[in-house]
Amino acid sequence: MLVFKFGGASVKSPEAVKNLTEIVSSYSENLVVVVSAMGKMTNALEEVVFRYFHQKEGLEEAIKLVEDFHLGIMEGLFPSKSHDVYKKTGHLFSMLASRVSDPPSLNYDYDYDQIVSYGEVLSTTIVAEYLKEAGLRARWIDVRRSLKSDNTYREAKIDWELSEELVKKDFFFGGDQILLTQGFLASTINNLTTTLGREGSDYTAAILAYILDAERVIIWKDVPGVLNADPKWFDETILLRQLSYRDAIELAYYGASVIHPKTIQPLKQKNIKLQVKSFVHPSEEGTLVGDEVYDKLIPSFIFKMDQVLISISPKDFSFIAEENLELILGFFARHGFRINLMQNSAVSFMVCVNNDKTRIPRVVKDLEDHFLVRWENSLELITIRYFDESTISRVLLNKDKVLEQRSKETVQMVVRDII
Ligand code: ASP
Ligand code: MG
């Protein structure tokens, strides 16, 4: 049995869904197919949540955009308006409409998960109907019945014991060849929807592969595999053909957006190989992640834009002592931050995070009760794994270095543009 993951670009149009169907049809093994939201629908739904929660104008338009996008895809796949898919998705659209006609809760992250999850439920409903239409023996499974989590909305932690039991019970093939389900979603013990963090569908694929003892996981992407840099920033990139689990974890951790950071751990534990392949050229090998170490010395570059460097110092100029660090890190953890880099000096503690417009004001407010807080916006965080001096000078062209951290294999630099 293999586990596939498709999402975003690989399901962004009728042609993309047809291409997915061709890829899936070319395999004779049993498949668990994990699908996330279509195109940029998660971002579009985030917009819905924002307007709903803050009771801002434009909510209806934001919802309409989501509906129209899905309708456009369905019209390209199912010419007959009497097809069941229109009824099924129509039902989902009216549930969404009725949810946002009720007043918001007091918890943004809770509302976020209840609304943003429609992206995955809609995409899998459409893809499942199309696979059946194409004659494949496919069954749609609501992953929320099987994957259980705590109630940390937007960053839910899997309850492994319960999930193992439920997944093993629900994910059986019977006469089917394909079990199609949602990435990114789980639910609490009370069946309230949770999400696993942005880009969490890769992680879902890994969890299911682990529990079901899959032979292999394939993540289908619009790039040829894991590259040594994002083609968005570099003209010439190198395909990393084979990566160790360790290298894959590190690259993902520093922000190479090809694989979600949590994905590798469950696979490594059971020695399940991961392939990252192109859905445009499915016969090419892509990148294979496994036990062996290869391509070790090719420098990889990771750029994170729109970074904020928050600098925290004691009000009385005393040293930043351990108790302070505990307090500071506690605030960041409580507000659900992922810290990209931190550095301690005698009089201040610096934390580099993504520019999250809802969370930053909250954490700054908490910090200011105890510390002097300053911050700088519009920074960039550059990570080079397997660096040398020439790779460093290459990325520092026209940049000012604000902060640097080095280990044997990796250098990280916070930089600003020279203007
Ligand atoms: N749809 C979710 C997101 O865009 C999950 C995923 O794509 O993996 O973050
Ligand atoms: Mg993704």
Side-chain angles (χ1 to χ4, degrees):
M1 187 271 288
L2 310 177
V3 176
F4 285 2
K5 142 76 202 306
F6 290 94
S10 62
V11 283
K12 69 170 182 200
S13 63
E15 295 69 42
V17 175
K18 288 178 187 169
N19 179 60
L20 173 159
T21 308
E22 255 174 57
I23 291 176
V24 165
S25 315
S26 70
Y27 285 80
S28 55
E29 290 97 330
N30 281 345
L31 304 175
V32 170
V33 178
V34 173
V35 178
S36 70
M38 295 177 146
K40 301 256 177 272
M41 281 299 107
T42 302
N43 293 354
L45 284 157
E46 284 187 340
E47 200 57 39
V48 171
V49 180
F50 185 80
R51 284 169 204 285
Y52 166 61
F53 191 82
H54 298 294
Q55 300 283 295
K56 287 227 190 330
E57 276 172 28
L59 174 62
E60 266 165 44
E61 289 82 348
I63 291 188
K64 186 157 183 321
L65 200 135
V66 172
E67 274 196 38
D68 288 351
F69 182 85
H70 289 101
L71 280 173
I73 292 188
M74 285 189 278
E75 280 160 9
L77 295 172
F78 311 96
S80 160
K81 276 285 160 68
S82 59
H83 194 283
D84 236 20
V85 77
Y86 292 99
K87 207 168 81 196
K88 288 186 176 165
T89 52
H91 178 61
L92 294 169
F93 293 138
S94 39
M95 287 195 333
L96 176 59
S98 110
R99 168 165 290 277
V100 298
S101 66
D102 289 336
S105 75
L106 296 174
N107 180 347
Y108 192 89
D109 295 348
Y110 167 79
D111 283 348
Y112 179 103
D113 284 0
Q114 309 319 305
I115 291 171
V116 166
S117 52
Y118 276 90
E120 272 67 21
V121 179
L122 283 161
S123 71
T124 52
T125 302
I126 296 168
V127 174
E129 289 300 316
Y130 192 72
L131 293 181
K132 286 190 253 176
E133 192 76 15
L136 293 164
R137 286 169 291 120
R139 181 155 63 89
W140 182 89
I141 295 185
D142 188 337
V143 83
R144 295 170 294 183
R145 299 174 65 106
S146 321
L147 281 189
K148 290 292 164 184
S149 71
D150 69 0
N151 63 357
T152 317
Y153 297 103
R154 285 177 82 179
E155 222 33 87
K157 308 278 169 303
I158 292 294
D159 178 336
W160 280 90
E161 210 173 309
L162 192 52
S163 298
E164 268 201 76
E165 189 186 316
L166 294 171
V167 167
K168 281 188 175 143
K169 191 156 66 62
D170 298 338
F171 282 71
F172 61 91
F173 285 89
D176 295 313
Q177 187 213 343
I178 297 165
L179 303 178
L180 188 106
T181 199
Q182 306 77 36
F184 185 48
L185 311 185
S187 81
T188 65
I189 195 86
N190 299 318
N191 300 320
L192 296 168
T193 300
T194 55
T195 65
L196 306 177
R198 285 300 308 260
E199 299 297 329
S201 294
D202 296 352
Y203 183 42
T204 306
I207 298 166
L208 295 176
Y210 175 93
I211 295 177
L212 298 166
D213 287 314
E215 259 163 63
R216 194 158 32 113
V217 172
I218 306 182
I219 298 182
W220 297 91
K221 304 281 297 187
D222 56 357
V223 288
V226 180
L227 303 172
N228 78 322
D230 188 329
K232 216 162 48 187
W233 313 117
F234 275 12
D235 289 338
E236 277 170 39
T237 53
I238 304 167
L239 174 67
L240 306 173
R241 296 193 177 277
Q242 287 187 296
L243 281 176
S244 63
Y245 290 117
R246 162 95 198 271
D247 275 336
I249 286 184
E250 300 232 351
L251 290 178
Y253 172 81
Y254 291 122
S257 53
V258 212
I259 312 169
H260 188 279
K262 286 182 184 163
T263 311
I264 307 296
Q265 188 60 35
L267 300 181
K268 180 178 156 54
Q269 267 187 50
K270 286 204 177 168
N271 202 10
I272 299 169
K273 295 255 191 309
L274 167 69
Q275 259 182 310
V276 181
K277 275 166 72 95
S278 157
F279 60 75
V280 190
H281 304 290
S283 57
E284 288 172 13
E285 284 305 307
T287 299
L288 182 68
V289 182
D291 256 342
E292 300 79 5
V293 183
Y294 292 92
D295 285 344
K296 187 178 153 129
L297 296 171
I298 299 175
S300 291
F301 298 82
I302 297 149
F303 298 87
K304 277 179 178 263
M305 315 306 279
D306 202 11
Q307 298 294 297
V308 181
L309 188 65
I310 304 178
S311 146
I312 303 145
S313 34
K315 285 182 171 158
D316 56 2
F317 288 97
S318 63
F319 291 118
I320 290 267
E322 278 64 22
E323 313 86 76
N324 287 337
L325 291 187
E326 192 180 344
L327 188 64
I328 293 169
L329 292 175
F331 287 139
F332 280 95
R334 223 162 306 134
H335 290 291
F337 272 97
R338 158 92 157 69
I339 294 177
N340 295 329
L341 184 131
M342 52 192 164
Q343 190 154 298
N344 194 13
S345 78
V347 288
S348 74
F349 185 69
M350 279 179 286
V351 179
C352 180
V353 290
N354 297 349
N355 187 9
D356 183 320
K357 297 203 168 53
T358 36
R359 286 174 176 157
I360 290 201
R362 293 185 200 159
V363 80
V364 166
K365 188 166 164 281
D366 281 351
L367 288 165
E368 278 179 337
D369 289 341
H370 307 264
F371 306 98
L372 288 174
V373 184
R374 283 174 301 131
W375 63 93
E376 183 174 344
N377 286 324
S378 307
L379 298 170
E380 195 179 315
L381 174 63
I382 304 175
T383 305
I384 313 175
R385 186 153 166 80
Y386 302 130
F387 68 96
D388 57 27
E389 292 312 316
S390 75
T391 54
I392 293 183
S393 4
R394 178 175 174 188
V395 299
L396 285 184
L397 210 68
N398 297 323
K399 309 275 182 203
D400 249 347
K401 196 162 65 183
V402 182
L403 203 89
E404 179 185 292
Q405 226 168 59
R406 282 188 193 212
S407 68
K408 201 166 112 253
E409 286 155 342
T410 308
V411 63
Q412 292 199 284
M413 294 170 292
V414 178
V415 304
R416 66 168 85 87
D417 286 333
I418 297 177
I419 26 168

